[in-house]
Amino acid sequence: MNTVTVPEPRTAAALAARRRKTEAALERVHQAIARLRREKAHSVAAVARRADVSRTFIYDNAEARAAVAAAMTQAGEHRSRTLADQDDEREATWRERALNAEDALKAAHAEILVQRTRIGELLGQVRDLEAEWTQEAVQRITTENTTLKQHVRQLTADNRTLDERLKAARSNLRFQDRRVADLEARIAEPAPKS
């Protein structure tokens, strides 16, 4: 017997409704994956939340499971490329820093060599100066220096004394000027009549 079961109209309507519901859920899953791809967050739980479906639906539905798996693989590859690019950038900056440091080190060594040469020349000049002066000449210059310092001290003391005398003379002159002005005022006054 060859029997083909024909679904009843209500069963066919339920199956069609279920198919439409599944297709709508799949469409929401694809939209959620697209949104999460922009946000760089991929997981079954995140897709299920965004698509408003259960995780069970994603695991049970082959198309949804494949779409999420593909998105997660693609995100992993993108993350790997991004990390590799960042590593390359860090490597480039370190390489550049190393080259800059090497150049600075060469410049520092050159400057040190120049400074050492200059120090050597100056030390040679000091030795030459020390060799030119005999002990007697050094003693004579030291004595003259001491004599000059004493002479400066004496002149400073004399200057201070003369300064004090000048101040005293000015003070006396002011006093004398007041006295002269007072005497002139008395002479100019008319004499009292008796």
Side-chain angles (χ1 to χ4, degrees):
M1 269 192 1
N2 199 351
T3 60
V4 177
T5 59
V6 177
E8 295 177 24
R10 283 189 350 196
T11 308
L15 289 174
R18 185 171 181 189
R19 210 173 306 117
R20 281 192 304 274
K21 186 176 178 185
T22 301
E23 288 172 3
L26 282 173
E27 181 60 32
R28 289 195 312 268
V29 166
H30 287 295
Q31 290 173 356
I33 289 171
R35 281 194 307 263
L36 289 171
R37 192 173 282 145
R38 284 185 293 248
E39 296 172 12
K40 296 180 176 65
H42 297 87
S43 70
V44 174
V47 172
R49 272 192 308 275
R50 286 290 174 99
D52 196 26
V53 296
S54 67
R55 284 185 269 181
T56 307
F57 172 80
I58 293 175
Y59 288 122
D60 287 344
N61 188 295
E63 186 180 340
R65 187 174 56 243
V68 172
M72 290 173 68
T73 303
Q74 200 175 37
E77 290 171 358
H78 178 71
R79 193 174 309 119
S80 296
R81 279 194 306 273
T82 303
L83 290 174
D85 290 345
Q86 289 174 349
D87 286 345
D88 290 344
E89 286 178 21
R90 278 192 220 112
E91 183 67 29
T93 59
W94 279 106
R95 195 174 306 118
E96 187 176 318
R97 288 180 190 169
L99 291 174
N100 289 342
E102 194 174 293
D103 289 343
L105 187 61
K106 285 179 185 176
H109 281 302
E111 181 65 24
I112 289 170
L113 184 60
V114 167
Q115 294 298 328
R116 284 182 177 165
T117 304
R118 182 73 177 134
I119 288 170
E121 290 171 359
L122 291 174
L123 284 174
Q125 289 176 4
V126 168
R127 286 189 198 107
D128 290 345
L129 288 174
E130 287 175 351
E132 290 178 9
W133 298 98
T134 63
Q135 187 63 28
E136 294 169 357
V138 171
Q139 185 65 33
R140 181 180 50 81
I141 290 172
T142 305
T143 306
E144 286 178 11
N145 189 22
T146 305
T147 304
L148 287 172
K149 284 181 182 177
Q150 288 174 351
H151 190 60
V152 166
R153 278 195 293 273
Q154 181 61 41
L155 288 173
T156 303
D158 290 347
N159 189 21
R160 195 175 303 121
T161 303
L162 290 173
D163 233 5
E164 289 171 0
R165 285 182 184 170
L166 179 62
K167 285 178 186 175
R170 284 179 180 161
S171 178
N172 284 340
L173 182 61
R174 281 192 296 271
F175 177 73
Q176 292 298 329
D177 281 344
R178 273 189 246 128
R179 198 159 171 193
V180 166
D182 195 31
L183 288 174
E184 286 176 348
R186 281 188 191 168
I187 291 174
E189 281 181 9
K193 295 183 184 179
S194 21

